Amino acid sequence: MRLVVVGNGMAGSRLISEVRARDPHMKITVFGAETCRPYNRILLSNVLAGSSRPEQVRLVDPAWYEAHDVEAAFGSAVAWIDRETRHVVTEDGRREPYDLLVLATGSDAIVPPIPGVDRAIPFRTLEDCERIMAAAEHARGAVVVGGGLLGIEAARGLAGRGLPVTLLHLAGHLMERQLDSEAGVVLGETLAGLGVGIRTGVSASQVEEGGVRLDDGELVEADLVVLACGVRPVTKQAADAGLEVRRGVVVDDEMRTDDPSIFAIGECAEHDGTVYGLVAPAWEQAVVAAEVITGGKARYRGSRLVTRLKAKSVELAAMGETHLGEEHAEVVRFSHRARGTYRKLVIRDGRLVGAILLGESDAVGTLTQLFDRGGQVPGDRAGLLFPGLSSAPVTDSPTLMPDAATICRCNNVTKGQIRACWEAGARDVAGVAAATRATTGCGTCRDAVEGIVGWLCEQEGISV
């Protein structure tokens, strides 16, 4: 059986490791358009901020491919797919036969079609990140265009380097897909306090040598312009091959396209009308596809999304249907703008269907578990938002947390799995990460994993 994977990013590299774990003999060839080995794209904001080095966000050791008999072609983009003969053809003319093909082509940064945009740098790849850092060393000021998750992380990272930064956003408030308007305003005020100037409701019409020209003629001065205007699934190869493509490459519950020998996973895939732009769904899809490819049975039923902002001194988690109002659901809300705090629960039929937690909060773990499980919400709504004020037990304490509770959402690792890993000899976070991959996605579960490991060691009187 010959498996070819097009794309060696976070989805493609995970698929390869999952397939190899199940089948040590299948012939695997992977083509990656980037010249470097796979890296954790969602941690690029840490690299930009200077809290991580590029080598610290690599996903795969170079020796892994040879040790696991995987042929990896870096810097070798696939130009087209010959479905009739079952070959992929690279841009440099290589033809590689396949029995099964997986498309993990990811997304490209959206670059707005405005004059002078070639003066700006998109923030999408490790190479982009390195270009931005090099430019920031000599820049006197920066503009980031786009106030979504990535744009905010880029702006905060540049501000953390001491660079004056202005963030421009077309919508009326930041992160409008995940946040309601009040949360967006509070987030903007928090960022302003950290040195990021916020301009919402504005549109860039041109990038000039001196900065960004707005539609109304105003020039926002900067000598570094960063684009974070969203992403678009890479579907050209699939469309040219005649596969069904809507926003993404359409797949079924086995992650198969309308050609049963071709699968698609990650940001390029569209399942049940949804294209997911986060790492956890991509890795869930990789597991399903690997199981099916190696002869097993698995089904992907969609993902429940929790968005975490990874920006220093800004704590934000948003999940589910955050925009519902009182006319459609029970809404519990608390706002303290002077402290940068906003908390909102959206409850329907007694279950948590959405939440926003902005500002430091010890309720994130409990609410994420409630959202994941779809269980009944306790009657004490205030106690959910402020666990310290409630007489009820704090369910995200390691002592009381059930073994079924998901700790690492990116890799779907439960407390029970961490406990089993600890009992097998892992006594620190690095050992747990090596065995379960917990903490290797967005990294926001690290404190929880440390807490569980520390609690287990304490129970047994083990010093770490």
Side-chain angles (χ1 to χ4, degrees), residues 1-84:
M1 182 70 72
R2 298 167 299 185
L3 173 66
V4 170
V5 182
V6 180
N8 199 15
M10 297 187 73
S13 61
R14 173 58 62 90
L15 174 93
I16 295 164
S17 66
E18 295 287 349
V19 169
R20 186 52 86 223
R22 292 164 171 77
D23 187 333
H25 305 297
M26 182 179 291
K27 176 177 168 55
I28 302 176
T29 303
V30 56
F31 293 95
E34 294 185 69
T35 56
C36 58
R37 58 188 168 94
Y39 55 88
N40 190 329
R41 194 183 303 277
I42 60 176
L43 295 183
L44 288 182
S45 57
N46 292 357
V47 176
L48 187 60
S51 58
S52 296
R53 298 185 305 277
E55 58 270 20
Q56 291 178 306
V57 300
R58 303 289 187 188
L59 289 171
V60 182
D61 188 281
W64 185 90
Y65 296 99
E66 183 176 358
H68 292 83
D69 193 25
V70 172
E71 181 187 0
F74 299 113
S76 185
V78 168
W80 61 287
I81 303 164
D82 186 339
R83 289 171 57 193
E84 187 173 342

Side-chain angles (χ1 to χ4, degrees), residues 132-164:
I132 293 168
M133 289 190 296
E137 290 183 5
H138 310 289
R140 291 164 297 175
V143 164
V144 177
V145 182
L149 196 67
L150 199 59
I152 291 170
E153 291 176 356
R156 178 66 185 101
L158 290 170
R161 289 177 172 267
L163 197 64

Side-chain angles (χ1 to χ4, degrees), residues 214-284:
L214 303 182
D215 274 354
D216 63 2
E218 178 188 353
L219 179 67
V220 182
E221 295 184 358
D223 42 15
L224 168 60
V225 179
V226 176
L227 301 177
C229 304
V231 296
R232 182 180 294 112
V234 177
T235 60
K236 184 178 187 304
Q237 298 96 326
D240 289 348
L243 299 174
E244 184 180 1
V245 173
R246 295 174 193 160
R247 183 166 170 241
V249 184
V250 177
V251 296
D252 62 16
D253 290 353
E254 289 187 329
M255 306 312 298
R256 293 185 196 263
T257 67
D258 50 341
D259 181 332
S261 66
I262 302 179
F263 298 73
I265 61 171
E267 292 183 346
C268 71
E270 178 177 330
H271 175 267
D272 196 23
T274 300
V275 176
Y276 295 95
L278 299 175
V279 64
W283 283 352
E284 291 171 16

Side-chain angles (χ1 to χ4, degrees), residues 217-382:
E218 178 188 353
L219 179 67
V220 182
E221 295 184 358
D223 42 15
L224 168 60
V225 179
V226 176
L227 301 177
C229 304
V231 296
R232 182 180 294 112
V234 177
T235 60
K236 184 178 187 304
Q237 298 96 326
D240 289 348
L243 299 174
E244 184 180 1
V245 173
R246 295 174 193 160
R247 183 166 170 241
V249 184
V250 177
V251 296
D252 62 16
D253 290 353
E254 289 187 329
M255 306 312 298
R256 293 185 196 263
T257 67
D258 50 341
D259 181 332
S261 66
I262 302 179
F263 298 73
I265 61 171
E267 292 183 346
C268 71
E270 178 177 330
H271 175 267
D272 196 23
T274 300
V275 176
Y276 295 95
L278 299 175
V279 64
W283 283 352
E284 291 171 16
Q285 293 169 5
V287 170
V288 170
E291 189 68 25
V292 173
I293 285 167
T294 55
K297 292 184 187 253
R299 295 290 185 274
Y300 178 67
R301 303 300 190 188
S303 298
R304 295 172 69 81
L305 298 183
V306 177
T307 300
R308 301 291 296 266
L309 180 65
K310 299 171 296 303
K312 187 178 179 181
S313 305
V314 185
E315 297 290 333
L316 172 63
M319 61 198 81
E321 301 177 66
T322 58
H323 292 88
L324 292 181
E326 282 82 355
E327 64 275 18
H328 300 296
E330 176 189 349
V331 178
V332 184
R333 188 186 284 109
F334 172 83
S335 178
H336 188 178
R337 288 173 60 172
R339 295 289 301 272
T341 299
Y342 181 80
R343 302 178 187 181
K344 177 181 181 180
L345 305 180
V346 182
I347 300 165
R348 190 167 54 199
D349 299 326
R351 289 174 169 78
L352 185 69
V353 297
I356 299 171
L357 296 167
L358 175 58
E360 189 173 344
S361 172
D362 52 4
V364 175
T366 299
L367 294 175
T368 301
Q369 292 169 40
L370 274 174
F371 177 68
D372 272 340
R373 295 198 300 264
Q376 288 287 321
V377 174
D380 182 9
R381 310 300 206 230

